[in-house]
Amino acid sequence: MTGRSIHPLSRLFGWLVILFLAGPIVIVIGTSISNTPYLAFPPQGFTLKWYANVFNHSGFLDTFIISMEVALGGTLIALVTGLAAAYALTRYKMKIPGWYGSVFFLPFFIPEIVFGFSLLKTLIVQLQLPILPSLILGHAILCLPYMVRVIGASLSGFDFSIQEAAVSLGMHPVKAFWTIVLPNIRSGVIAGMVLAFITSLNDMAVALFLTGPGISTLPIEVFTYVQQFFDPTVSAVSVLLMGVTILVMVLIERSLGLSKTVQ
């Protein structure tokens, strides 16, 4: 029995979607290798000097290190908090008021400029925290909704009676969570971490309010560079940033492993 053929319009629509998603990436990569002192596409000639310029510019390297620290720190804090929140909201949803879960999604609905200003006033002005911890906490709050949403979706299909059976047979509740619940939601944890890391690494609106003298993030440094120069260096930074994101995703997949997820 042969399957139904795909309608030509469906094929066309599929290719248009792929073109819409991949088009900007192709343009950025093309402009990053253009042998012109300005952004040009299609690329005119071929050169890698703009990539060399990225490494020769100390501001890019310094802010990249800070961005990685902030992204990793914010992702880990959001992971611990979001995992606990998603577990409680799913496991005890009959006992927790329905509005309580909406609190974790407030960063989705508040404009980022207002959200960043609120963090500035709370963390730095009132609590007087140092800039770097404030950045990490701010990005952790920004990434928390992704963790709660994605991990909660994974937990919604989990049968908690398995965990209850293990506890009733003498297993400690914490051990039951780590050995039974967590392996079954590993794919959701990985997806939440990737979304949180990418969001934190590319955020500028929140970081704009929480940075200070000597401490900045890569998106802000790129924005400052564009105000002064208009060469393809910014495209080279974008390509390298995409490469780092892909590398982090591969490392997370290899260490936690979607293929290792318990079915």
Side-chain angles (χ1 to χ4, degrees), residues 174-195:
V174 176
K175 184 178 180 180
F177 175 83
W178 283 102
T179 57
I180 297 176
V181 179
L182 194 58
N184 283 277
I185 62 171
R186 182 177 287 152
S187 59
V189 173
I190 295 173
M193 290 179 65
V194 170
L195 286 174

Side-chain angles (χ1 to χ4, degrees), residues 79 82-83 86 146-156 185 188-189 192:
L79 173 62
L83 181 60
Y146 296 98
M147 290 293 185
V148 176
R149 172 66 71 180
V150 177
I151 297 178
S154 296
L155 283 169
S156 63
I185 62 171
V189 173

Side-chain angles (χ1 to χ4, degrees), residues 82-104:
L83 181 60
Y87 179 82
L89 292 173
T90 308
R91 180 72 172 81
Y92 306 105
K93 59 183 178 180
M94 300 302 295
K95 301 179 181 179
I96 297 178
W99 60 267
Y100 188 76
S102 302
V103 175
F104 295 96

Side-chain angles (χ1 to χ4, degrees), residues 160-215:
F160 288 98
S161 62
I162 302 175
Q163 182 187 14
E164 295 174 355
V167 173
S168 65
L169 293 174
M171 181 178 290
H172 193 277
V174 176
K175 184 178 180 180
F177 175 83
W178 283 102
T179 57
I180 297 176
V181 179
L182 194 58
N184 283 277
I185 62 171
R186 182 177 287 152
S187 59
V189 173
I190 295 173
M193 290 179 65
V194 170
L195 286 174
F197 180 83
I198 295 175
T199 300
S200 176
L201 193 63
N202 293 280
D203 172 75
M204 188 178 71
V206 173
L208 191 62
F209 287 92
L210 299 180
T211 53
I215 296 180

Side-chain angles (χ1 to χ4, degrees), residues 13 42 50 88 101 123 174 199 226 238 242 248:
F13 180 75
W50 306 117
L123 298 177
V174 176
T199 300
V226 171
S238 301
M242 286 189 290
V248 170

Side-chain angles (χ1 to χ4, degrees), residues 22-255:
I25 298 177
V26 174
I27 293 175
V28 171
I29 295 176
T31 56
S32 70
I33 59 175
S34 179
N35 193 22
T36 57
Y38 52 87
L39 295 174
F41 188 86
Q44 301 177 18
F46 176 82
T47 182
L48 296 177
K49 65 180 180 180
W50 306 117
Y51 290 91
N53 193 34
V54 173
F55 294 99
N56 292 330
H57 192 283
S58 60
F60 289 139
L61 298 178
D62 295 339
T63 55
F64 172 74
I65 295 175
I66 295 176
S67 293
M68 290 296 294
E69 293 176 354
V70 172
L72 291 175
T75 299
L76 291 178
I77 295 175
L79 173 62
V80 175
T81 308
L83 181 60
Y87 179 82
L89 292 173
T90 308
R91 180 72 172 81
Y92 306 105
K93 59 183 178 180
M94 300 302 295
K95 301 179 181 179
I96 297 178
W99 60 267
Y100 188 76
S102 302
V103 175
F104 295 96
F105 304 109
L106 288 178
F108 277 158
F109 307 109
I110 301 176
E112 287 192 353
I113 294 179
V114 178
F115 183 62
F117 178 76
S118 301
L119 291 175
L120 169 66
K121 185 176 180 180
T122 302
L123 298 177
I124 296 181
V125 177
Q126 294 183 351
L127 298 180
Q128 296 184 354
L129 294 178
I131 295 176
L132 186 58
S134 298
L135 261 175
I136 295 175
L137 287 177
H139 280 217
I141 298 173
L142 180 66
C143 298
L144 184 59
Y146 296 98
M147 290 293 185
V148 176
R149 172 66 71 180
V150 177
I151 297 178
S154 296
L155 283 169
S156 63
F158 178 73
D159 187 2
F160 288 98
S161 62
I162 302 175
Q163 182 187 14
E164 295 174 355
V167 173
S168 65
L169 293 174
M171 181 178 290
H172 193 277
V174 176
K175 184 178 180 180
F177 175 83
W178 283 102
T179 57
I180 297 176
V181 179
L182 194 58
N184 283 277
I185 62 171
R186 182 177 287 152
S187 59
V189 173
I190 295 173
M193 290 179 65
V194 170
L195 286 174
F197 180 83
I198 295 175
T199 300
S200 176
L201 193 63
N202 293 280
D203 172 75
M204 188 178 71
V206 173
L208 191 62
F209 287 92
L210 299 180
T211 53
I215 296 180
S216 183
T217 60
L218 184 59
I220 295 178
E221 182 66 23
V222 172
F223 179 73
T224 304
Y225 186 88
V226 171
Q227 291 179 321
Q228 303 177 15
F229 308 97
F230 199 64
D231 57 48
T233 302
V234 292
S235 297
V237 173
S238 301
V239 174
L240 293 174
L241 198 57
M242 286 189 290
V244 170
T245 303
I246 295 174
L247 178 61
V248 170
M249 293 174 61
V250 171
L251 291 177
I252 292 177
E253 197 280 332
R254 290 297 182 93
S255 58

